Amino acid sequence: MAGSTSRDVVGRGLAVLGRAIREQPRIFTVAVAGSVLFGSMVIASAYVVGAVVGDVVVPSIERGSVATGTLALAAVALFGISVLRVVGIFGRRLGAGYMQYRLQAAYRRRVTRRYLELPLAWHHRNSTGTLLSNANSDVEAAWYPIAPLPFAVGTLVMLVGAVASLFVTDWALALVGLAVFPALFVLNVTYSRRMAPRQARAQRLRAEVSGIAHESFDGALVVKTMGREAQETSRFAGRAGELRDSLISVGRLRGVFDPMLETLPSLGTLAVLVVGTFRLRQGAIGVADLVSVAFLFTVLAFPVRAIGWVLAEQ
């Protein structure tokens, strides 16, 4: 039952993301284009760094002198890639931020208009604090995953390109990539399926705590007149305690999965260096190839986390 609930939560979250894309297709396209540009430049930078080490640094050390022209060309290439990465980051963040805040504003207006359309009897059955929480924190939580969404889409494109690049470079190193990248994705999905119900419960408890607080403050005169301060304090403390325990549960789960998500790419880089050293001794690859692949594993560690952020926040 718990697994079914988590799948339902993730499914609803993905449906919300799909609605966001349908409502803001142009802005989403700009953000994804920036993310894809950034990802492409990450892969390109790995191979440029490898070429600089293999074709510039190592020969210069062997000769005892530096070829100024080659060094200048390498510097121009790295600078050009850095500029394109900045452009990609700017487009991705500007598009994602604009999309997120625009959707939040639009849905706050929709929720408020819907509240005003509902009959008075419905408002009597629902506390003002809960309504305020729904219109504010729930709307924010619903569209919060929009911020890392373009990054996650670009990361998927980047992973496909990275695996293809690994096969072009060396099949043995590609097998390491095929072992690490799917393992990261499976770990992210497992993390999200366990996190989603906890996040949903914490969000519901926030609304209940807000509702109880608003009822107590709004009816403070009645509470004091009837001498129910202790009962109201106890009621609020009970819900606040549940919210605390729910947030601690979220923190514990993050404490378990975050180290694994951080460690796995590092283990992949170590595996690349070990396998790559043997392949280098066999003459199957060069120094530039080994440096490129190791650098690629290093820089992909953080972008892969974006997929987990999107899935975990549903």
Side-chain angles (χ1 to χ4, degrees):
M1 181 65 69
S4 177
T5 301
S6 66
R7 286 194 297 270
D8 291 342
V9 172
V10 173
R12 288 195 298 269
L14 294 177
V16 170
L17 295 181
R19 176 179 295 182
I21 295 171
R22 290 193 301 271
E23 292 192 9
Q24 304 289 337
R26 294 182 180 178
I27 301 175
F28 180 73
T29 300
V30 170
V32 170
S35 182
V36 171
L37 176 62
F38 171 80
S40 301
M41 291 304 102
V42 167
I43 296 175
S45 66
Y47 285 91
V48 169
V49 169
V52 169
V53 173
D55 300 334
V56 178
V57 176
V58 173
S60 297
I61 294 176
E62 292 175 348
R63 292 194 308 264
S65 62
V66 179
T68 306
T70 306
L71 185 61
L73 182 61
V76 170
L78 289 173
F79 178 77
I81 288 176
S82 299
V83 170
L84 290 176
R85 288 179 66 175
V86 169
V87 172
I89 293 173
F90 179 78
R92 184 193 76 222
R93 291 188 175 179
L94 181 64
Y98 189 75
M99 185 177 178
Q100 178 184 8
Y101 296 128
R102 188 171 181 174
L103 285 167
Q104 287 177 353
Y107 274 81
R108 283 195 183 98
R109 291 192 294 267
R110 293 185 186 183
V111 171
T112 302
R113 283 197 299 267
R114 182 56 180 163
Y115 283 166
L116 296 176
E117 293 171 356
L118 293 170
L120 188 60
W122 184 89
H123 285 275
H124 286 161
R125 294 193 302 268
N126 296 273
S127 68
T128 305
T130 300
L131 301 185
L132 291 173
S133 178
N134 292 339
N136 184 35
S137 61
D138 285 0
V139 170
E140 285 186 1
W143 300 119
Y144 179 79
I146 292 299
L149 178 61
F151 195 13
V153 175
T155 298
L156 288 175
V157 176
M158 182 166 48
L159 287 177
V160 173
V163 173
S165 301
L166 289 176
F167 273 104
V168 171
T169 303
D170 183 64
W171 65 268
L173 298 179
L175 292 178
V176 177
L178 287 178
V180 173
F181 293 151
L184 276 172
F185 185 76
V186 170
L187 192 60
N188 272 319
V189 172
T190 304
Y191 174 47
S192 70
R193 290 186 60 183
R194 292 178 178 272
M195 178 63 75
R198 290 172 171 81
Q199 293 277 31
R201 183 170 186 271
Q203 194 66 23
R204 177 178 57 81
L205 287 171
R206 284 191 183 98
E208 293 181 6
V209 169
S210 177
I212 293 173
H214 189 276
E215 289 174 1
S216 299
F217 298 153
D218 196 40
L221 182 60
V222 176
V223 171
K224 294 184 70 65
T225 301
M226 300 183 66
R228 293 187 57 84
E229 295 94 335
Q231 291 87 340
E232 288 300 308
T233 300
S234 176
R235 188 163 69 105
F236 181 82
R239 281 292 183 272
E242 290 183 28
L243 176 59
R244 176 204 60 209
D245 294 340
S246 179
L247 293 175
I248 290 175
S249 176
V250 170
R252 285 175 177 170
L253 188 63
R254 283 178 175 162
V256 171
F257 277 89
D258 280 353
M260 290 190 289
L261 290 169
E262 293 289 342
T263 303
L264 194 55
S266 300
L267 293 177
T269 303
L270 180 61
V272 164
L273 292 175
V274 172
V275 175
T277 300
F278 285 106
R279 299 292 288 171
L280 183 63
R281 290 178 178 176
Q282 296 172 355
I285 61 173
V287 174
D289 297 326
L290 179 58
V291 172
S292 297
V293 174
F295 184 82
L296 191 60
F297 269 77
T298 301
V299 297
L300 283 178
F302 177 74
V304 169
R305 295 298 311 279
I307 301 174
W309 294 337
V310 172
L311 295 175
E313 295 296 335
Q314 298 311 306

